Amino acid sequence: MDMKQTVRRAFVASGQVQGVGFRPFVYRLAREGGLTGTVGNTSDGVRMEVQGPPAEVERFGRRLCAELPPLARLVGLSEEELAFLPGETAFVIVPSHGHAGHSVLVSPDMGICPDCLADMRDPANRRYGYPFTNCTNCGPRYTITRAIPYDRATTTMSCFPLCPDCAAEYGNPADRRFHAQPIACPVCGPRLWFVDRHTRQGGDTGPTADNRREALARAGQVLLDGGVLALKGLGGFQLACDARDAAAVQELRRRKNRPHKPLALMVGDLATARALCELTPEHEALLQSPEKPIVLCPRRAVPAGETDPLPPEVAPDTRNVGLMLPYTPLHAALFDRLAPRAPLPPALVMTSANPHGEPLCLGNREALARLDHLADAWLLHDRDILVRVDDSVLSVAPRPLRTGDFKDEAASSPATVPHAVDPFFYRRARGYVPRPVFLPPFGEGGEEGDPTVLGAGAELKGTICLTRGHEAFVGQHIGDLENPATLGFYEEVAAHLESLLEVRPKAIVCDLHPDFLSTRYAEARAAREGLPLWRIQHHAAHAASVLAENNCYEPALALCLDGTGLGDDGTIWGGELIHMDLGRADWNRLGRLAPFALPGGEAAIREPWRIALALRIQAGEDAGPAPWDAEYAMAATAVREMLARGLNCPRTSSCGRLFDAVAAQLGLCLATTYEGQAAIRLEAAADEAALREGAAWPLPLVESNGLLELDSTALFRRVLQAQAAGEPVGRVAARFHLSLAHALAGMAATAARKTGTRRVGLSGGAMQNALLARLLPQALAEHGLDPLTHHELPPGDGGLSLGQAVWGRQLLRGQRLGLA
């Protein structure tokens, strides 16, 4: 090689570049360009040194950015000129090396890719039917990774030595399984076996030749016979039953004490999904994406005289069904065994395997013990799960409804619907965690310039968030922190993320509520480690979360609409208009829904008829019959007495509780068995024709005690008057949604004129109402305002920890700049 016509340059790629086929991709680029050099994993990412003609080195750098592997995400690419290295004749992949601290993005777990699925279904392939097939484009990542750099030795696959065939694939840069860390085959990989109640009671629960040989067939028979199967999944155990069998679904609900909450379904292929639901191209793109989430899809209408292919017990409160495709080879293998034996294409309920209110089961012995009252049989394997991760739940992002042009998007032809997919998160976990939300640079100075902040999250739908440099990592959905077991899971997630990211928090931010277990964790840890602890009001954290997601650090407004959260005045908030300057970590409350009573406090959340009764009395409209008269007549007398005396009737500005009250008044939901049930039924009842008319009730906006107040009582009175006039429930429900959206937008517009800002963030659990999420952004736009919505995290409490962490980060920045 002529030294005069040769350059040597180092590239360091940071981001999601390990365990995603990046090094073989680099190897291919270098070989195609006739370059020599090296590539290897480091704690800073992937380091490449290439040597050759200047034009080819330049072309190599361009192709690095333009031709990434499917799962790679390039966050940064640094370059450095190096001295020519004489005598180098080849391009090689070198062993990984690490050091304390890193900037690598750990890849989330990815669903099985088409190539691996084809391998499993090819009788001539050595992985035919093998339920642990994977390659660099799919398979477990986050749930099996202990440390970075991401190599087999740092995963739970380290205990499975490679056979000669797998070792050859692992070491061949031209093979798609090159350095696929979970690589396995029937000779050297994990084993699957079956345990039923009989063998479980006999204590013989380990793998044997017999229970391995027919494991999938026997598991399938349990499902075909109407039983409940506990299946060891990717991030924990799942419970499965035949979704077409109403009795099996009801029995699963009875065992899990889950009478109404929708159950997710897994179907074997897209054709079955289309037979069950009305799918747009966006739905199909999400279902088939590498993440393979649960996607909420509208159930297909059943013509008169035909039998519904799904029993109503699957999702009794809504016409949406949570669908997913097989995302592990084990799921695919199970469906392949079921399909020839089932009378119809199989559809399985696939739900989290955990006793009520507790975390997912991880280990085999744990599942056999904890699920004994839930499952009839167990499908087990010996690949350890390091981290519990539940399924993600998404829908296609709601589009604004144009008044007078409302249509059912499910009926749109594929030719008229764009294929770009904008997901809307309800629960963010498998497939997406631990992808970061990117933040603006904090400043110079390494760790001291970019201190890590821990956001402790809320009580419901708990998550934690850790910042690292210009990245914020929101951990997986944990659930409701209501018992020691769930708190233990919460602590596991915090410890694992800190270990994986190699960070320790320099400050902690939590909710104002003193009784949240997340608050108690934050207080205890801050005291133990001598860390600063800041508290931010619940809805201010929601505002910070949506603004941070949209990189909005200048003054803006935020409508934060949810259930209940402790206000900084000691009252219960939930329908707030906030003005926030996130850049300066400053906020104040400008408006709210006018307060109303919650008779019995927490009891009113479980029994929404109490709130409806309180609003009837507050509106002066308590005469005449009520939907709860028959079932709750004696209790209603006691509630009236409580209201008259002001006993245990805290007042709230909660948007979520207003939805509950309207649902109860319309007879849709008098008592709830899961959070959000009343609002879900109210949304499902809304009549499309009324939405098409756009007939919103005008509502008064007043100023009281320095706050703009939207009159909740007046809106509820409108509901009562429409009901008394004989308007159908669907029409009343639709007009309620329309009126609330227009009134909230009007309040924001009034505040926008006073503050001089046009940007309005939308956050809080009520924004998971797909109808409100469509109506409110359009109503804001009609006022000339710019709505900002969540696109990487759920708008509910699952995204709250991001707002807390970013708030703490801005407080530290303010201290550094002398602003605090």
Side-chain angles (χ1 to χ4, degrees):
M1 188 176 291
D2 188 346
M3 291 180 59
K4 295 181 180 179
Q5 298 179 355
T6 303
V7 297
R8 186 177 187 85
R9 186 174 300 167
F11 297 84
V12 177
S14 60
Q16 194 170 295
V17 291
Q18 295 189 14
V20 293
F22 195 83
R23 287 175 298 169
F25 157 70
V26 169
Y27 180 88
R28 177 177 60 82
L29 294 188
R31 293 291 297 269
E32 289 176 1
L35 303 174
T36 64
T38 62
V39 60
N41 284 344
T42 75
S43 293
D44 297 317
V46 175
R47 180 178 175 85
M48 299 149 275
E49 293 186 13
V50 293
Q51 183 167 289
E56 286 298 332
V57 171
E58 288 292 334
R59 181 167 173 263
F60 173 87
R62 291 193 301 271
R63 295 184 70 189
L64 274 179
C65 300
E67 303 176 24
L68 289 173
L71 301 185
R73 299 181 77 203
L74 195 61
V75 173
L77 183 65
S78 64
E79 300 183 28
E80 178 189 1
E81 298 298 326
L82 301 176
F84 172 77
L85 188 62
E88 187 175 68
T89 60
F91 190 87
V92 297
I93 298 171
V94 297
S96 304
H97 67 274
H99 58 77
H102 66 83
S103 57
V104 174
L105 296 183
V106 179
S107 173
D109 302 284
M110 288 293 133
I112 186 170
C113 70
D115 289 334
C116 284
L117 200 54
D119 288 348
M120 286 182 61
R121 290 173 174 168
D122 178 4
N125 192 288
R126 69 190 189 92
R127 292 186 174 88
Y128 177 60
Y130 184 58
F132 303 98
T133 302
N134 67 87
C135 70
T136 55
N137 296 325
C138 66
R141 302 289 198 277
Y142 178 59
T143 51
I144 64 170
T145 302
R146 291 191 176 93
I148 293 295
Y150 174 68
D151 282 310
R152 192 176 182 92
T154 61
T155 74
T156 60
M157 290 297 294
S158 60
C159 59
F160 296 98
L162 296 177
C163 69
D165 287 338
C166 283
E169 293 171 328
Y170 185 86
N172 180 6
D175 195 290
R176 80 172 197 276
R177 292 189 170 92
F178 172 76
H179 277 242
Q181 307 308 338
I183 185 174
C185 78
V187 174
C188 63
R191 301 169 297 172
L192 186 71
W193 69 95
F194 174 86
V195 172
D196 59 19
R197 284 190 174 275
H198 176 73
T199 53
R200 187 223 176 286
Q201 290 168 359
D204 187 15
T205 58
T208 65
D210 176 61
N211 65 21
R212 289 180 58 204
R213 188 182 308 108
E214 297 296 326
L216 284 167
R218 293 169 70 181
Q221 193 60 50
V222 168
L223 296 168
L224 293 172
D225 290 342
V228 176
L229 176 71
L231 170 94
K232 189 174 185 181
L234 191 64
F237 275 76
Q238 296 169 302
L239 292 174
C241 73
D242 184 354
R244 300 184 189 274
D245 184 338
V249 176
Q250 281 287 62
E251 178 61 14
L252 176 59
R253 286 193 175 281
R254 185 192 67 77
R255 295 183 189 183
K256 281 205 74 174
N257 188 26
R258 185 174 173 171
H260 303 111
K261 190 174 182 179
L263 294 165
L265 303 188
M266 181 177 283
V267 294
D269 52 39
L270 201 57
T272 308
R274 288 171 178 154
L276 300 178
C277 291
E278 299 280 358
L279 302 182
T280 64
E282 292 94 337
H283 288 113
E284 295 188 4
L286 279 176
L287 283 167
Q288 298 177 97
S289 67
E291 295 84 0
K292 298 284 196 301
I294 297 171
V295 182
L296 298 186
C297 305
R299 187 184 300 209
R300 183 174 289 280
V302 180
E306 293 189 15
T307 303
D308 194 329
L310 287 176
E313 287 84 359
V314 167
D317 294 331
T318 172
R319 67 182 293 259
N320 288 326
V321 176
L323 283 184
M324 58 181 153
L325 297 178
Y327 59 83
T328 71
L330 175 53
H331 291 126
L334 181 60
F335 273 87
D336 287 348
R337 288 299 186 101
L338 279 171
R341 302 162 63 191
L344 292 171
L348 300 179
V349 168
M350 198 69 72
T351 189
S352 305
N354 56 319
H356 184 69
E358 294 185 13
L360 284 166
C361 290
L362 278 189
N364 295 331
R365 286 189 295 271
E366 175 192 6
L368 288 164
R370 289 178 60 203
L371 305 179
D372 185 50
H373 63 297
L374 297 177
D376 297 306
W378 291 257
L379 194 55
L380 307 174
H381 61 75
D382 55 359
R383 185 180 69 198
D384 289 339
I385 302 169
L386 186 65
V387 184
R388 302 171 212 263
V389 179
D390 216 330
D391 295 320
S392 293
V393 182
L394 286 72
S395 70
V396 174
R399 296 197 188 98
L401 296 175
R402 292 187 177 89
T403 301
D405 189 33
F406 178 85
K407 66 177 182 177
D408 184 353
E409 288 181 5
S412 301
S413 69
T416 62
V417 179
H419 288 261
V421 182
D422 189 8
F424 183 77
F425 285 92
Y426 289 85
R427 184 169 75 198
R428 183 177 180 270
R430 177 185 54 76
Y432 298 91
V433 173
R435 288 181 188 166
V437 176
F438 292 100
L439 310 173
F442 185 92
E444 303 298 329
E447 184 179 339
E448 292 304 316
D450 267 319
T452 293
V453 178
L454 169 65
E459 186 82 342
L460 302 180
K461 299 178 175 64
T463 61
I464 66 117
C465 178
L466 285 163
T467 65
R468 183 186 70 178
H470 66 289
E471 302 158 335
F473 296 86
V474 178
Q476 66 266 37
H477 167 85
I478 294 168
D480 299 346
L481 301 182
E482 54 188 10
N483 56 49
T486 313
L487 179 61
F489 177 25
Y490 174 94
E491 292 170 339
E492 284 176 16
V493 173
H496 182 66
L497 262 185
E498 287 176 31
S499 174
L500 203 58
L501 300 173
E502 295 184 4
V503 296
R504 297 289 289 178
K506 301 297 182 184
I508 302 177
V509 183
C510 67
D511 196 270
L512 285 182
H513 202 298
D515 295 331
F516 283 2
L517 291 183
S518 58
T519 300
R520 294 179 180 176
Y521 167 85
E523 291 171 341
R525 183 165 181 186
R528 185 172 64 249
E529 299 181 16
L531 300 174
L533 175 66
W534 290 306
R535 306 170 197 271
I536 180 173
Q537 197 276 331
H538 189 87
H539 303 94
H542 272 304
S545 178
V546 69
L547 296 182
E549 264 201 57
N550 287 275
N551 199 30
C552 179
Y553 287 79
E554 66 272 14
L557 297 171
L559 282 165
C560 301
L561 312 170
D562 69 357
T564 55
L566 181 64
D568 62 3
D569 59 359
T571 65
I572 302 172
W573 295 9
E576 314 307 318
L577 176 62
I578 284 172
H579 181 259
M580 177 171 283
D581 183 346
L582 185 56
R584 300 181 64 88
D586 182 55
W587 70 277
N588 63 299
R589 183 193 197 196
L590 297 184
R592 65 178 179 182
L593 294 178
F596 49 90
L598 292 179
E602 291 289 327
I605 298 173
R606 296 188 297 271
E607 297 181 351
W609 68 266
R610 293 168 175 256
I611 313 171
L613 176 55
L615 276 164
R616 282 169 64 115
I617 293 171
Q618 189 164 313
E621 301 277 352
D622 191 29
W628 51 86
D629 284 345
E631 189 172 354
Y632 294 101
M634 292 183 61
T637 300
V639 167
R640 287 189 177 90
E641 186 68 18
M642 291 168 61
L643 288 163
R645 297 187 178 192
L647 296 175
N648 192 20
C649 292
R651 297 180 67 77
T652 183
S653 54
S654 168
C655 184
R657 300 291 81 84
L658 182 59
F659 272 86
D660 291 352
V662 174
Q665 178 58 42
L666 295 180
L668 297 171
C669 187
L670 301 181
T672 63
T673 61
Y674 64 92
E675 187 197 7
Q677 183 178 15
I680 287 172
R681 289 184 177 180
L682 185 63
E683 178 189 345
D687 179 69
E688 293 178 7
L691 293 169
R692 186 165 53 245
E693 291 173 14
W697 297 307
L699 298 174
L701 179 68
V702 300
E703 189 165 338
S704 176
N705 298 317
L707 294 174
L708 294 171
E709 276 195 356
L710 185 61
D711 196 336
S712 313
T713 307
L715 178 54
F716 193 78
R717 186 183 293 115
R718 289 283 195 175
V719 169
L720 292 168
Q721 291 168 350
Q723 194 178 25
E727 288 194 32
V729 166
R731 180 176 174 80
V732 179
R735 295 188 75 183
F736 167 77
H737 282 87
L738 281 163
S739 304
L740 181 62
H742 281 280
L744 288 167
M747 181 166 66
T750 300
R753 289 190 292 270
K754 292 182 178 181
T755 59
T757 182
R758 296 178 55 237
R759 308 186 80 183
V760 185
L762 300 175
S763 192
M767 293 308 303
Q768 291 184 318
N769 177 304
L771 190 50
L772 188 62
R774 289 169 177 242
L775 293 169
L776 189 47
Q778 172 146 340
L780 290 167
E782 289 170 357
H783 284 281
L785 302 176
D786 181 14
L788 305 177
T789 59
H790 288 274
H791 46 88
E792 295 187 68
L793 297 172
D797 284 1
L800 190 82
S801 61
L802 172 68
Q804 294 171 333
V806 171
W807 189 259
R809 188 172 183 265
Q810 292 306 115
L811 287 174
L812 289 174
R813 180 176 181 271
Q815 289 180 350
R816 178 178 170 186
L817 297 177
L819 300 176

